Amino acid sequence: MTESIKSPEAGTEMPRTGFVESILLMVLLISLPALSIDTMLPVFPEIARDLNVQQANDIQLIIPALIFGLATGQLVFGPLSDSMGRKSVLTLSAFIFMAGCLLCFFSVGLPTMLAGRVVQGVGISGPRTVVLALIRDQYEGRAMARMMSIVMSVFIIIPAFAPLIGQGIALVAGWRAIFASLLALMLIALIWFARRQPETLLPRNRIAFSLREIAGAFVLVCSTRVTLGYTIMAGLVMGAFFGYLNSAQQIFQDVYGVGRLFSLFFAILSLSLGCASLLNSRIVMRHGMRTLTKRAMVGLFTLSMVYVGVICAMGGVSPLWMFMAFFMIIFFCVGILFGNLNAIAMKPLGQVAGTASAVVGSLSTLIAVPPGAFIGLCYNGTILPLMTGFAVLSLFSFAIMRWAETE
């Protein structure tokens, strides 16, 4: 394996972390975005009550607020890490995230909470961006593939258990303790990172931060048909998924009355999505990204339309077993799509700087936020708004895929 670890250049420090320690550090850093989103879900009612939120659906906005910050932040921190170095950017973003945690912890109303969530999102985009850069800097070949595979597998699995973690913390110490726990985790990660992780980007290899470069990458993405099409598709599919995240607590606890078992049902569906992503990594070389994407897109649209018809006939709510069965298959399709859409979008761009990758990721996430928030705010005591959102967004995605593939 040592032949796959990059040799340090003159003037750089030798890595102080071994392979296992490096994995643990990267996993901790990259799990923070998922924990920041999904630990909130079980405590929506408590937060709404304590912050005196008048409209029940409005509390859902704490999810898209963080995602908006995450999308805008990665557009800045990606190029900034190429300019300032990995350690400086992660340190800066960590302090921004911790400031957001404090703002949320001390919030007494929904506007302050939403502002804190945006700040959290901007801050958490740093670790998400820097971790991938650090892996590329330090490893190559099989060692890089192994590291990336392990880190991303954990990134997929963490959301399944995050609501259970949030629920446990809230039961012991209240919902504000979730933000204190996130702050503590970031502080631990920052101290660990500062003491054990050397800088991997030499000053002579750094690129001056340039708004012109970001604008140029944005123009390149928007003028490349396949890239733009699949970026929009990724945003629409992600928007449907965000609609589920925003509505999940109300659907499971209010519609189906599962109570504290919410975290269990949420975990089952999350694992379905995660299993699809892992399976995709194994079969994509045999079947190809486009073939898998087309099949998953057809499956997602067909299942969504069928289920809309079923629940309309049932008055807007199906039995819980049917909801779980349909959504396990729907999320399996979504997992396949998540594994391929960004990769197809990036393929025509060749060996461009990482800025283009940041633009694709940021743009797709920004596209996802409005429909995801709208689906959640349309919740009316049934699952019809959620499934209508899936059906409409998958239809648009399918149409855009046909457009993107047309020469």
Side-chain angles (χ1 to χ4, degrees), residues 141-160:
R142 293 182 181 180
M144 178 179 171
R146 182 185 178 197
M147 173 70 84
M148 194 72 77
S149 176
I150 294 171
V151 169
M152 294 312 295
S153 295
V154 174
F155 180 72
I156 291 169
I157 293 170
I158 284 291

Side-chain angles (χ1 to χ4, degrees), residues 197-247:
Q197 175 64 52
E199 177 58 66
T200 59
L201 187 64
L202 285 170
R204 66 171 177 267
N205 293 331
R206 296 175 187 178
I207 304 170
F209 182 82
S210 170
L211 291 176
R212 179 178 296 180
E213 183 182 346
I214 297 175
F218 186 84
V219 170
L220 178 62
V221 168
C222 292
S223 61
T224 306
R225 190 185 189 100
V226 170
T227 299
L228 179 61
Y230 278 87
T231 298
I232 295 173
M233 281 179 64
L236 295 178
V237 172
M238 204 183 305
F241 180 70
F242 288 165
Y244 161 77
L245 286 181
N246 294 333
S247 310

Side-chain angles (χ1 to χ4, degrees), residues 225-226 290 402-407:
R225 190 185 189 100
V226 170
R290 280 181 165 82
R402 297 290 298 270
W403 169 79
E405 295 292 345
T406 302
E407 295 295 337

Side-chain angles (χ1 to χ4, degrees), residues 41 46 50 82 100 121 143 281 301 346 373 387-388 397:
L41 299 179
E46 290 84 353
D50 290 354
D82 292 335
S281 67
F301 172 65
M346 285 300 300
M387 283 318 305
T388 302
S397 297

Side-chain angles (χ1 to χ4, degrees), residues 10 39 47 51 57 60 76 85 90 111 130 200-201 204 209 245 248-249 252 296 318 332-333 344 366 376:
T39 51
I47 297 176
L51 298 185
N57 288 354
Q60 298 176 8
V76 175
L90 191 133
V130 168
T200 59
L201 187 64
R204 66 171 177 267
F209 182 82
L245 286 181
Q249 178 270 326
F252 279 115
S318 69
F332 192 87
C333 295
I344 297 174
L366 288 172

Side-chain angles (χ1 to χ4, degrees), residues 170-188:
L171 285 174
V172 172
W175 63 265
R176 293 182 191 273
I178 296 175
F179 293 105
S181 301
L182 291 171
L183 189 153
L185 274 178
M186 178 59 89
L187 186 59
I188 291 168

